[in-house]
Amino acid sequence: MGYLLEPGQPVVWRGPMLSKVVNQFLNDVAWGELDYLLVDLPPGTGDVTMSLSEAIPLSGAVIVTTPQDVAASIAVKSLRAFQKLNVPILGIVENMSYFTAPDTGKSYHIFGHGGGQAAAEELRVPFLGGIPLEIATRQGGDNGEPILISYPDSPQANIFRDVAGLLARQISIQSRQFRPLTVV
């Protein structure tokens, strides 16, 4: 949505508008040939989640959390919402898992440790991996250039590749059950 609004403008929409935008996004954009369509949804269980799940059959959902207990509890609610909508859960990813200081190489668990792994075990879904905090990743996001492009041989890029590989594996498992290949 950031490309469609003036800088600094909020998106203040109710359910019907959100549903309309989701449908326009899915039906009116010339996507070309896609292997996967990943849609980054806001946290929680809102109108966008329901609209997307109703608009097209989904191969599955990836739940993203951070290590804190409160974040994991929100992730569990998101997971349960997708389950109620009959959307398979492909796995959990833990974002901001740790920070490795570039000057010392020492890792710090700023937001706690293991919340994503624990949630995956408790909910019996695959843990797809933990993504550490990394300055170059944030800079790439701000500049619109993913770390896989700017630093393709970096440890961080390799972590993203590993998570993507595990996700592709889960999608493959789901596709054997004759589901379409769309991922949230």
Side-chain angles (χ1 to χ4, degrees):
M1 286 302 306
Y3 293 113
L4 305 176
L5 300 171
E6 292 294 321
Q9 292 294 97
V11 178
V12 184
W13 290 342
R14 295 186 187 272
M17 280 296 293
L18 292 169
S19 180
K20 182 178 178 184
V21 168
V22 166
N23 283 311
Q24 278 189 300
F25 178 76
L26 295 171
N27 298 313
D28 296 346
V29 174
W31 293 108
E33 189 72 28
L34 296 176
D35 291 325
Y36 304 101
L37 175 61
L38 299 168
V39 181
D40 185 7
L41 299 177
T45 56
D47 288 322
V48 177
T49 301
M50 289 177 50
S51 295
L52 185 63
S53 298
E54 292 168 352
I56 58 172
L58 303 174
S59 292
V62 176
I63 306 301
V64 179
T65 188
T66 55
Q68 308 98 302
D69 290 341
V70 69
S73 72
I74 294 168
V76 168
K77 290 176 186 176
S78 295
L79 182 143
R80 298 275 189 239
F82 279 111
Q83 287 176 328
K84 283 187 178 227
L85 296 166
N86 296 314
V87 175
I89 306 303
L90 299 171
I92 292 179
V93 173
E94 184 181 86
N95 198 15
M96 299 188 280
S97 289
Y98 58 90
F99 172 75
T100 302
D103 55 344
T104 65
K106 184 175 178 182
S107 292
Y108 298 92
H109 297 277
I110 297 168
F111 298 107
H113 179 66
Q117 176 79 48
E121 288 172 6
E122 177 185 333
L123 298 165
R124 296 187 178 121
V125 298
F127 181 65
L128 301 175
I131 307 292
L133 281 166
E134 167 67 43
I135 293 169
T137 301
R138 194 264 316 148
Q139 290 170 332
D142 287 347
N143 297 330
E145 186 172 87
I147 195 153
L148 288 157
I149 303 295
S150 57
Y151 299 103
D153 298 323
S154 68
Q156 185 81 346
N158 289 331
I159 291 169
F160 277 108
R161 273 189 210 90
D162 290 345
V163 169
L166 290 173
L167 176 57
R169 179 178 182 263
Q170 290 305 118
I171 293 169
S172 178
I173 291 168
Q174 286 299 318
S175 70
R176 289 181 179 260
Q177 298 175 9
F178 305 105
R179 296 185 188 276
L181 291 178
T182 306
V183 180
V184 177

